[in-house]
Amino acid sequence: MNAPRLTSALQGRFSPLRFDPDHRLSGPDVEALLEAARWAPSAGNAQPWSFHLRRRGEEGHDRLVAHLAGSSRRWAPDASALVVNLARREVDDGLLYSEFADYDLGQAVAHMTVQAHAMSLACRQFRAFDLEGLHNRLGVLPGWHILTMTAIGVPLRGDTAPPARERRSIVDLRTAGVSSP
Ligand SMILES: Cc1cc2nc3c(=O)[nH]c(=O)nc-3n(C[C@H](O)[C@H](O)[C@H](O)COP(=O)(O)O)c2cc1C
């Protein structure tokens, strides 16, 4: 059930496990998704992120599929696009670029996820892939790190959020993690 006063932009969002294999993302769709990430806040406006996006059928999509884990291979190839989410943690000489790089990337991916939902698309972010193999295959530059991938598309008819998606209580959110709440 939706929480009271939850903004309509978040209502109904869920991470599908089945995507419509016939849906195609248009060029403007891709631009809108990247634009949402582009406008995410980041520490010092460093924008320490990169999104390697390939649409299904596009050159380079196959090599992303080749590095999926067994679990994600069951559903991610059907998504309209796969995105590799990278953060820049260090500058070339190994010095810290931003201690907030991972935080910032997560926030940018969240923006993309909400934008997708507003476009009647859905995202499933995931870690079930061969990170080292993909890192090598893409030739990830020093200082950059792959953190997650995102599958974006239209949920297959009938794929809806599980009715009993567990969520921690608001009380717990406000008290966990500190000894003197
Ligand atoms: C960082 C991250 C990693 C995730 N990794 C996986 C994954 O490897 N496989 C998977 O099926 N889902 C993965 N998920 C999706 C979560 O399981 C899903 O978001 C969670 O169950 C809550 O469901 P909801 O997004 O529908 O609310 C991941 C999500 C995040 C944010």
Side-chain angles (χ1 to χ4, degrees), residues 79-106:
S80 310
L82 291 173
V83 190
V84 182
N85 303 311
L86 300 105
R88 187 180 189 188
R89 291 184 192 146
E90 301 105 22
V91 287
D92 294 347
D93 53 9
L95 290 174
L96 201 60
Y97 176 73
S98 170
E99 66 177 300
F100 298 110
D102 293 7
Y103 181 102
D104 291 341
L105 174 66

PDB file of all heavy atoms in Angstrom, residues 79-106:
ATOM      1  N   ALA A  79      14.974  -6.450 -21.551  1.00  0.00           N
ATOM      2  CA  ALA A  79      14.747  -5.022 -21.297  1.00  0.00           C
ATOM      3  C   ALA A  79      15.111  -4.225 -22.549  1.00  0.00           C
ATOM      4  O   ALA A  79      15.925  -4.658 -23.374  1.00  0.00           O
ATOM      5  CB  ALA A  79      15.579  -4.565 -20.103  1.00  0.00           C
ATOM      6  N   SER A  80      14.523  -3.047 -22.669  1.00  0.00           N
ATOM      7  CA  SER A  80      14.754  -2.234 -23.866  1.00  0.00           C
ATOM      8  C   SER A  80      16.172  -1.674 -23.898  1.00  0.00           C
ATOM      9  O   SER A  80      16.699  -1.379 -24.971  1.00  0.00           O
ATOM     10  CB  SER A  80      13.743  -1.097 -23.915  1.00  0.00           C
ATOM     11  OG  SER A  80      12.449  -1.606 -23.731  1.00  0.00           O
ATOM     12  N   ALA A  81      16.770  -1.505 -22.717  1.00  0.00           N
ATOM     13  CA  ALA A  81      18.158  -1.021 -22.650  1.00  0.00           C
ATOM     14  C   ALA A  81      18.825  -1.548 -21.393  1.00  0.00           C
ATOM     15  O   ALA A  81      18.164  -1.812 -20.375  1.00  0.00           O
ATOM     16  CB  ALA A  81      18.198   0.507 -22.647  1.00  0.00           C
ATOM     17  N   LEU A  82      20.127  -1.721 -21.501  1.00  0.00           N
ATOM     18  CA  LEU A  82      20.960  -2.036 -20.338  1.00  0.00           C
ATOM     19  C   LEU A  82      21.929  -0.877 -20.144  1.00  0.00           C
ATOM     20  O   LEU A  82      22.473  -0.351 -21.123  1.00  0.00           O
ATOM     21  CB  LEU A  82      21.739  -3.334 -20.564  1.00  0.00           C
ATOM     22  CG  LEU A  82      20.906  -4.614 -20.602  1.00  0.00           C
ATOM     23  CD1 LEU A  82      21.770  -5.811 -21.013  1.00  0.00           C
ATOM     24  CD2 LEU A  82      20.261  -4.873 -19.236  1.00  0.00           C
ATOM     25  N   VAL A  83      22.120  -0.502 -18.892  1.00  0.00           N
ATOM     26  CA  VAL A  83      23.021   0.605 -18.583  1.00  0.00           C
ATOM     27  C   VAL A  83      24.051   0.122 -17.570  1.00  0.00           C
ATOM     28  O   VAL A  83      23.688  -0.506 -16.570  1.00  0.00           O
ATOM     29  CB  VAL A  83      22.260   1.801 -17.953  1.00  0.00           C
ATOM     30  CG1 VAL A  83      23.163   3.024 -17.873  1.00  0.00           C
ATOM     31  CG2 VAL A  83      20.989   2.114 -18.706  1.00  0.00           C
ATOM     32  N   VAL A  84      25.317   0.411 -17.831  1.00  0.00           N
ATOM     33  CA  VAL A  84      26.373   0.157 -16.849  1.00  0.00           C
ATOM     34  C   VAL A  84      26.608   1.478 -16.120  1.00  0.00           C
ATOM     35  O   VAL A  84      26.881   2.502 -16.753  1.00  0.00           O
ATOM     36  CB  VAL A  84      27.671  -0.319 -17.525  1.00  0.00           C
ATOM     37  CG1 VAL A  84      28.737  -0.619 -16.477  1.00  0.00           C
ATOM     38  CG2 VAL A  84      27.399  -1.540 -18.391  1.00  0.00           C
ATOM     39  N   ASN A  85      26.466   1.454 -14.802  1.00  0.00           N
ATOM     40  CA  ASN A  85      26.585   2.668 -13.997  1.00  0.00           C
ATOM     41  C   ASN A  85      27.987   2.753 -13.385  1.00  0.00           C
ATOM     42  O   ASN A  85      28.387   1.873 -12.616  1.00  0.00           O
ATOM     43  CB  ASN A  85      25.530   2.661 -12.887  1.00  0.00           C
ATOM     44  CG  ASN A  85      24.118   2.534 -13.442  1.00  0.00           C
ATOM     45  OD1 ASN A  85      23.749   3.259 -14.360  1.00  0.00           O
ATOM     46  ND2 ASN A  85      23.329   1.618 -12.888  1.00  0.00           N
ATOM     47  N   LEU A  86      28.715   3.806 -13.747  1.00  0.00           N
ATOM     48  CA  LEU A  86      30.098   3.954 -13.270  1.00  0.00           C
ATOM     49  C   LEU A  86      30.253   5.217 -12.426  1.00  0.00           C
ATOM     50  O   LEU A  86      29.655   6.256 -12.735  1.00  0.00           O
ATOM     51  CB  LEU A  86      31.065   4.075 -14.450  1.00  0.00           C
ATOM     52  CG  LEU A  86      31.132   2.912 -15.435  1.00  0.00           C
ATOM     53  CD1 LEU A  86      30.419   3.282 -16.735  1.00  0.00           C
ATOM     54  CD2 LEU A  86      32.580   2.545 -15.738  1.00  0.00           C
ATOM     55  N   ALA A  87      31.110   5.101 -11.411  1.00  0.00           N
ATOM     56  CA  ALA A  87      31.450   6.264 -10.587  1.00  0.00           C
ATOM     57  C   ALA A  87      32.947   6.532 -10.706  1.00  0.00           C
ATOM     58  O   ALA A  87      33.750   5.601 -10.813  1.00  0.00           O
ATOM     59  CB  ALA A  87      31.092   6.001  -9.126  1.00  0.00           C
ATOM     60  N   ARG A  88      33.288   7.797 -10.671  1.00  0.00           N
ATOM     61  CA  ARG A  88      34.710   8.161 -10.659  1.00  0.00           C
ATOM     62  C   ARG A  88      35.113   8.471  -9.223  1.00  0.00           C
ATOM     63  O   ARG A  88      34.733   9.502  -8.658  1.00  0.00           O
ATOM     64  CB  ARG A  88      34.962   9.386 -11.531  1.00  0.00           C
ATOM     65  CG  ARG A  88      36.436   9.663 -11.654  1.00  0.00           C
ATOM     66  CD  ARG A  88      36.734  10.861 -12.504  1.00  0.00           C
ATOM     67  NE  ARG A  88      38.169  10.939 -12.744  1.00  0.00           N
ATOM     68  CZ  ARG A  88      38.776  11.960 -13.327  1.00  0.00           C
ATOM     69  NH1 ARG A  88      38.070  12.993 -13.737  1.00  0.00           N
ATOM     70  NH2 ARG A  88      40.071  11.947 -13.498  1.00  0.00           N
ATOM     71  N   ARG A  89      35.887   7.537  -8.639  1.00  0.00           N
ATOM     72  CA  ARG A  89      36.293   7.696  -7.235  1.00  0.00           C
ATOM     73  C   ARG A  89      37.649   8.364  -7.094  1.00  0.00           C
ATOM     74  O   ARG A  89      37.921   9.020  -6.104  1.00  0.00           O
ATOM     75  CB  ARG A  89      36.371   6.341  -6.546  1.00  0.00           C
ATOM     76  CG  ARG A  89      35.051   5.663  -6.330  1.00  0.00           C
ATOM     77  CD  ARG A  89      35.276   4.375  -5.545  1.00  0.00           C
ATOM     78  NE  ARG A  89      34.088   3.551  -5.547  1.00  0.00           N
ATOM     79  CZ  ARG A  89      34.104   2.216  -5.560  1.00  0.00           C
ATOM     80  NH1 ARG A  89      35.258   1.572  -5.589  1.00  0.00           N
ATOM     81  NH2 ARG A  89      32.989   1.542  -5.552  1.00  0.00           N
ATOM     82  N   GLU A  90      38.536   8.096  -8.036  1.00  0.00           N
ATOM     83  CA  GLU A  90      39.907   8.595  -7.899  1.00  0.00           C
ATOM     84  C   GLU A  90      40.335   9.334  -9.156  1.00  0.00           C
ATOM     85  O   GLU A  90      39.835   9.072 -10.243  1.00  0.00           O
ATOM     86  CB  GLU A  90      40.901   7.438  -7.683  1.00  0.00           C
ATOM     87  CG  GLU A  90      40.633   6.580  -6.462  1.00  0.00           C
ATOM     88  CD  GLU A  90      40.037   5.233  -6.836  1.00  0.00           C
ATOM     89  OE1 GLU A  90      40.209   4.807  -7.989  1.00  0.00           O
ATOM     90  OE2 GLU A  90      39.358   4.623  -5.998  1.00  0.00           O
ATOM     91  N   VAL A  91      41.285  10.243  -8.979  1.00  0.00           N
ATOM     92  CA  VAL A  91      41.945  10.837 -10.144  1.00  0.00           C
ATOM     93  C   VAL A  91      43.047   9.879 -10.584  1.00  0.00           C
ATOM     94  O   VAL A  91      43.317   8.883  -9.925  1.00  0.00           O
ATOM     95  CB  VAL A  91      42.504  12.248  -9.821  1.00  0.00           C
ATOM     96  CG1 VAL A  91      41.375  13.241  -9.709  1.00  0.00           C
ATOM     97  CG2 VAL A  91      43.346  12.241  -8.583  1.00  0.00           C
ATOM     98  N   ASP A  92      43.689  10.189 -11.686  1.00  0.00           N
ATOM     99  CA  ASP A  92      44.581   9.207 -12.304  1.00  0.00           C
ATOM    100  C   ASP A  92      45.708   8.729 -11.400  1.00  0.00           C
ATOM    101  O   ASP A  92      46.152   7.601 -11.492  1.00  0.00           O
ATOM    102  CB  ASP A  92      45.161   9.776 -13.596  1.00  0.00           C
ATOM    103  CG  ASP A  92      44.054   9.980 -14.623  1.00  0.00           C
ATOM    104  OD1 ASP A  92      42.956   9.446 -14.395  1.00  0.00           O
ATOM    105  OD2 ASP A  92      44.303  10.671 -15.616  1.00  0.00           O
ATOM    106  N   ASP A  93      46.197   9.602 -10.511  1.00  0.00           N
ATOM    107  CA  ASP A  93      47.307   9.176  -9.656  1.00  0.00           C
ATOM    108  C   ASP A  93      46.828   8.470  -8.384  1.00  0.00           C
ATOM    109  O   ASP A  93      47.594   8.281  -7.446  1.00  0.00           O
ATOM    110  CB  ASP A  93      48.188  10.380  -9.292  1.00  0.00           C
ATOM    111  CG  ASP A  93      47.367  11.521  -8.701  1.00  0.00           C
ATOM    112  OD1 ASP A  93      46.179  11.277  -8.427  1.00  0.00           O
ATOM    113  OD2 ASP A  93      47.912  12.614  -8.516  1.00  0.00           O
ATOM    114  N   GLY A  94      45.564   8.088  -8.347  1.00  0.00           N
ATOM    115  CA  GLY A  94      45.056   7.312  -7.231  1.00  0.00           C
ATOM    116  C   GLY A  94      44.525   8.144  -6.081  1.00  0.00           C
ATOM    117  O   GLY A  94      43.968   7.595  -5.125  1.00  0.00           O
ATOM    118  N   LEU A  95      44.673   9.446  -6.148  1.00  0.00           N
ATOM    119  CA  LEU A  95      44.126  10.294  -5.088  1.00  0.00           C
ATOM    120  C   LEU A  95      42.602  10.300  -5.162  1.00  0.00           C
ATOM    121  O   LEU A  95      42.024  10.159  -6.253  1.00  0.00           O
ATOM    122  CB  LEU A  95      44.643  11.731  -5.209  1.00  0.00           C
ATOM    123  CG  LEU A  95      46.116  11.940  -4.899  1.00  0.00           C
ATOM    124  CD1 LEU A  95      46.531  13.377  -5.194  1.00  0.00           C
ATOM    125  CD2 LEU A  95      46.404  11.588  -3.437  1.00  0.00           C
ATOM    126  N   LEU A  96      41.993  10.490  -3.998  1.00  0.00           N
ATOM    127  CA  LEU A  96      40.537  10.491  -3.960  1.00  0.00           C
ATOM    128  C   LEU A  96      39.993  11.639  -4.813  1.00  0.00           C
ATOM    129  O   LEU A  96      40.423  12.782  -4.681  1.00  0.00           O
ATOM    130  CB  LEU A  96      40.080  10.661  -2.508  1.00  0.00           C
ATOM    131  CG  LEU A  96      38.671  10.215  -2.160  1.00  0.00           C
ATOM    132  CD1 LEU A  96      38.481   8.726  -2.441  1.00  0.00           C
ATOM    133  CD2 LEU A  96      38.394  10.520  -0.696  1.00  0.00           C
ATOM    134  N   TYR A  97      39.090  11.305  -5.721  1.00  0.00           N
ATOM    135  CA  TYR A  97      38.446  12.337  -6.541  1.00  0.00           C
ATOM    136  C   TYR A  97      37.271  12.915  -5.770  1.00  0.00           C
ATOM    137  O   TYR A  97      37.119  14.128  -5.648  1.00  0.00           O
ATOM    138  CB  TYR A  97      37.990  11.711  -7.849  1.00  0.00           C
ATOM    139  CG  TYR A  97      37.215  12.642  -8.750  1.00  0.00           C
ATOM    140  CD1 TYR A  97      37.854  13.665  -9.430  1.00  0.00           C
ATOM    141  CD2 TYR A  97      35.844  12.481  -8.928  1.00  0.00           C
ATOM    142  CE1 TYR A  97      37.152  14.515 -10.272  1.00  0.00           C
ATOM    143  CE2 TYR A  97      35.142  13.326  -9.764  1.00  0.00           C
ATOM    144  CZ  TYR A  97      35.797  14.338 -10.427  1.00  0.00           C
ATOM    145  OH  TYR A  97      35.100  15.174 -11.255  1.00  0.00           O
ATOM    146  N   SER A  98      36.458  12.024  -5.255  1.00  0.00           N
ATOM    147  CA  SER A  98      35.345  12.467  -4.415  1.00  0.00           C
ATOM    148  C   SER A  98      34.980  11.350  -3.470  1.00  0.00           C
ATOM    149  O   SER A  98      34.723  10.238  -3.908  1.00  0.00           O
ATOM    150  CB  SER A  98      34.134  12.823  -5.253  1.00  0.00           C
ATOM    151  OG  SER A  98      33.011  13.019  -4.409  1.00  0.00           O
ATOM    152  N   GLU A  99      34.965  11.659  -2.170  1.00  0.00           N
ATOM    153  CA  GLU A  99      34.548  10.632  -1.208  1.00  0.00           C
ATOM    154  C   GLU A  99      33.055  10.330  -1.357  1.00  0.00           C
ATOM    155  O   GLU A  99      32.538   9.388  -0.756  1.00  0.00           O
ATOM    156  CB  GLU A  99      34.853  11.068   0.224  1.00  0.00           C
ATOM    157  CG  GLU A  99      34.063  12.262   0.692  1.00  0.00           C
ATOM    158  CD  GLU A  99      34.346  12.629   2.149  1.00  0.00           C
ATOM    159  OE1 GLU A  99      34.107  11.775   3.014  1.00  0.00           O
ATOM    160  OE2 GLU A  99      34.791  13.764   2.388  1.00  0.00           O
ATOM    161  N   PHE A 100      32.357  11.131  -2.146  1.00  0.00           N
ATOM    162  CA  PHE A 100      30.915  10.960  -2.310  1.00  0.00           C
ATOM    163  C   PHE A 100      30.540  10.350  -3.656  1.00  0.00           C
ATOM    164  O   PHE A 100      29.368  10.341  -4.027  1.00  0.00           O
ATOM    165  CB  PHE A 100      30.207  12.312  -2.157  1.00  0.00           C
ATOM    166  CG  PHE A 100      30.398  12.928  -0.814  1.00  0.00           C
ATOM    167  CD1 PHE A 100      31.179  14.060  -0.669  1.00  0.00           C
ATOM    168  CD2 PHE A 100      29.810  12.367   0.304  1.00  0.00           C
ATOM    169  CE1 PHE A 100      31.356  14.632   0.584  1.00  0.00           C
ATOM    170  CE2 PHE A 100      29.994  12.930   1.560  1.00  0.00           C
ATOM    171  CZ  PHE A 100      30.769  14.069   1.707  1.00  0.00           C
ATOM    172  N   ALA A 101      31.543   9.859  -4.389  1.00  0.00           N
ATOM    173  CA  ALA A 101      31.272   9.408  -5.756  1.00  0.00           C
ATOM    174  C   ALA A 101      30.168   8.350  -5.809  1.00  0.00           C
ATOM    175  O   ALA A 101      29.253   8.434  -6.633  1.00  0.00           O
ATOM    176  CB  ALA A 101      32.549   8.882  -6.398  1.00  0.00           C
ATOM    177  N   ASP A 102      30.245   7.354  -4.928  1.00  0.00           N
ATOM    178  CA  ASP A 102      29.251   6.278  -4.970  1.00  0.00           C
ATOM    179  C   ASP A 102      27.867   6.817  -4.588  1.00  0.00           C
ATOM    180  O   ASP A 102      26.848   6.448  -5.187  1.00  0.00           O
ATOM    181  CB  ASP A 102      29.631   5.145  -4.009  1.00  0.00           C
ATOM    182  CG  ASP A 102      30.893   4.413  -4.461  1.00  0.00           C
ATOM    183  OD1 ASP A 102      31.543   4.860  -5.430  1.00  0.00           O
ATOM    184  OD2 ASP A 102      31.237   3.400  -3.817  1.00  0.00           O
ATOM    185  N   TYR A 103      27.872   7.679  -3.597  1.00  0.00           N
ATOM    186  CA  TYR A 103      26.620   8.303  -3.149  1.00  0.00           C
ATOM    187  C   TYR A 103      25.999   9.091  -4.307  1.00  0.00           C
ATOM    188  O   TYR A 103      24.796   8.980  -4.597  1.00  0.00           O
ATOM    189  CB  TYR A 103      26.954   9.223  -1.977  1.00  0.00           C
ATOM    190  CG  TYR A 103      25.817   9.963  -1.314  1.00  0.00           C
ATOM    191  CD1 TYR A 103      25.295   9.513  -0.099  1.00  0.00           C
ATOM    192  CD2 TYR A 103      25.313  11.128  -1.864  1.00  0.00           C
ATOM    193  CE1 TYR A 103      24.278  10.211   0.532  1.00  0.00           C
ATOM    194  CE2 TYR A 103      24.295  11.830  -1.244  1.00  0.00           C
ATOM    195  CZ  TYR A 103      23.777  11.366  -0.037  1.00  0.00           C
ATOM    196  OH  TYR A 103      22.766  12.062   0.587  1.00  0.00           O
ATOM    197  N   ASP A 104      26.830   9.875  -4.964  1.00  0.00           N
ATOM    198  CA  ASP A 104      26.346  10.703  -6.067  1.00  0.00           C
ATOM    199  C   ASP A 104      25.820   9.841  -7.214  1.00  0.00           C
ATOM    200  O   ASP A 104      24.781  10.148  -7.812  1.00  0.00           O
ATOM    201  CB  ASP A 104      27.474  11.618  -6.579  1.00  0.00           C
ATOM    202  CG  ASP A 104      27.852  12.706  -5.585  1.00  0.00           C
ATOM    203  OD1 ASP A 104      27.043  12.995  -4.682  1.00  0.00           O
ATOM    204  OD2 ASP A 104      28.962  13.261  -5.708  1.00  0.00           O
ATOM    205  N   LEU A 105      26.550   8.787  -7.543  1.00  0.00           N
ATOM    206  CA  LEU A 105      26.088   7.914  -8.629  1.00  0.00           C
ATOM    207  C   LEU A 105      24.725   7.317  -8.282  1.00  0.00           C
ATOM    208  O   LEU A 105      23.814   7.295  -9.114  1.00  0.00           O
ATOM    209  CB  LEU A 105      27.088   6.787  -8.897  1.00  0.00           C
ATOM    210  CG  LEU A 105      26.594   5.747  -9.919  1.00  0.00           C
ATOM    211  CD1 LEU A 105      26.446   6.362 -11.309  1.00  0.00           C
ATOM    212  CD2 LEU A 105      27.509   4.541  -9.972  1.00  0.00           C
ATOM    213  N   GLY A 106      24.589   6.839  -7.038  1.00  0.00           N
ATOM    214  CA  GLY A 106      23.309   6.250  -6.637  1.00  0.00           C
ATOM    215  C   GLY A 106      22.167   7.234  -6.781  1.00  0.00           C
ATOM    216  O   GLY A 106      21.065   6.881  -7.224  1.00  0.00           O
TER     217      GLY A 106
END
